[in-house]
Amino acid sequence: MSQVLIAPSILSADFASLGDQVREAEAGGADWIHVDVMDGHFVPRISFGEPIVRALRPVTELPLDVHLMIEPVDPHLRAFAAAGADSITIHVEATPDPARTLQAIRDLGVRPGLTLRPGTPAWALWPYLDLAEVVLVMTVEPGRGGQAFMPDMLPRIEQVAERLNALDGQRWLQVDGGLSPATIGPAVDAGAQVVVAGSAVFGDSGGVATAIDRLRGAALG
Ligand code: DX5
Ligand code: ZN
C-alpha cells in the first residue's frame, strides 16, 4: 500500500514554544505542517494569521500546509503565499468563484487545495476537482481541535478518492478532524493519503514523535 503522510496541526501545539514544537514534529517524522487559520467570522473562533506562517518558514523544511477558514478569502492569498505557504486550502463555501480562487493560488506559485464543511454536499466540489492538487475532506465541523471524528464522512472520502483517481496528475486526498490511532485506519482504508492530526500529536503525553509513530502504525493496520 502507498505511504500515508502525517500533517500535525499546530492548532493544538504549545504556542509559547511553537518553533520547538514544529522542530519536534519534523524530527519525529512529520511530512507536512498543517496551519489552521480562523477568522472569527467563517468559523466562530480566531486562531492566527500569516505572521505565524512567516515565523515558522525558517524553522522547518517541511511544507507549510495552510488551511484557510476565512471569508472573504481572496484578499488574503497573496499575503499567505509571500509568508511562505506551500499549499493553501480554501473552503468552497468561502468564495463566490472557487475556480478563480484556486487559479489565483496557482498563479502565486502555491499548491491549491479545496475543502468543504461536513454539511455541504460533496457535489459542490466536483466542478473544481481538476483545479485542486489537495482535496480535503473535513471529518469534523471546522472551527476547533479536539472534536470527535465523524464516521459518516467515510463514504465521502471514498467518493472523492474515486473521482481523484480518474484525474491526471499528482493530487492529495487529505482528511482533517478527529484523527487518532483509533480513527486513522478507516480513513486510510477509505482512501485518505494525508492525515491531519492536532490533539493526537501535540496532546499526547508520550511526546510528539511517539504520537506520530503511533498514528503511522495504526494507519498501516
Ligand atoms: C479544525 C481544524 C483541524 C484541527 C484538527 O477546524 O481544521 O485542523 O486542528 O484537530 P484535531 O486533530 O484535534 O481534531
Ligand atoms: Zn485544518
Side-chain angles (χ1 to χ4, degrees):
M1 80 160 273
S2 56
Q3 196 205 349
V4 172
L5 304 190
I6 306 290
S9 164
I10 60 165
L11 194 61
S12 298
D14 175 2
F15 288 175
S17 40
L18 190 54
D20 287 341
Q21 293 262 276
V22 168
R23 283 185 202 99
E24 236 182 292
E26 182 167 3
D31 297 288
W32 299 0
I33 299 295
H34 187 78
V35 180
D36 284 305
V37 177
M38 305 180 182
D39 66 352
H41 167 71
F42 182 74
V43 293
R45 297 186 185 187
I46 296 174
S47 58
F48 44 70
E50 85 276 359
I52 293 291
V53 176
R54 194 176 310 116
L56 290 179
R57 185 64 289 170
V59 167
T60 180
E61 291 185 359
L62 296 180
L64 295 176
D65 173 43
V66 176
H67 175 192
L68 293 181
M69 288 164 273
I70 67 174
E71 185 183 19
V73 65
D74 297 279
H76 302 286
L77 300 175
R78 183 172 297 279
F80 282 97
D86 294 278
S87 51
I88 296 180
T89 295
I90 55 135
H91 273 262
V92 72
E93 306 91 351
T95 166
D97 189 345
R100 194 188 59 192
T101 304
L102 291 167
Q103 186 60 49
I105 295 169
R106 185 183 301 275
D107 291 345
L108 289 163
V110 175
R111 176 189 284 158
L114 185 64
T115 188
L116 76 178
R117 298 179 185 279
T120 301
W123 53 254
L125 298 177
W126 302 160
Y128 313 110
L129 284 186
D130 206 28
L131 291 164
E133 290 179 38
V134 178
V135 178
L136 167 58
V137 175
M138 289 302 301
T139 45
V140 298
E141 188 59 40
R144 61 189 172 87
Q147 303 180 76
F149 180 82
M150 297 169 65
D152 47 333
M153 289 295 110
L154 288 168
R156 170 172 295 191
I157 299 169
E158 286 172 3
Q159 266 182 305
V160 172
E162 206 172 295
R163 294 205 174 229
L164 292 185
N165 284 337
L167 297 175
D168 296 335
Q170 175 67 76
R171 292 168 210 279
W172 298 101
L173 173 41
Q174 186 177 44
V175 289
D176 182 5
L179 276 305
S180 71
T183 57
I184 192 171
V188 167
D189 287 347
Q193 299 162 310
V194 184
V195 173
V196 176
S199 45
V201 169
F202 292 110
D204 189 316
S205 55
V208 169
T210 308
I212 292 172
D213 282 349
R214 293 226 324 254
L215 279 170
R216 235 188 258 290
L220 299 172

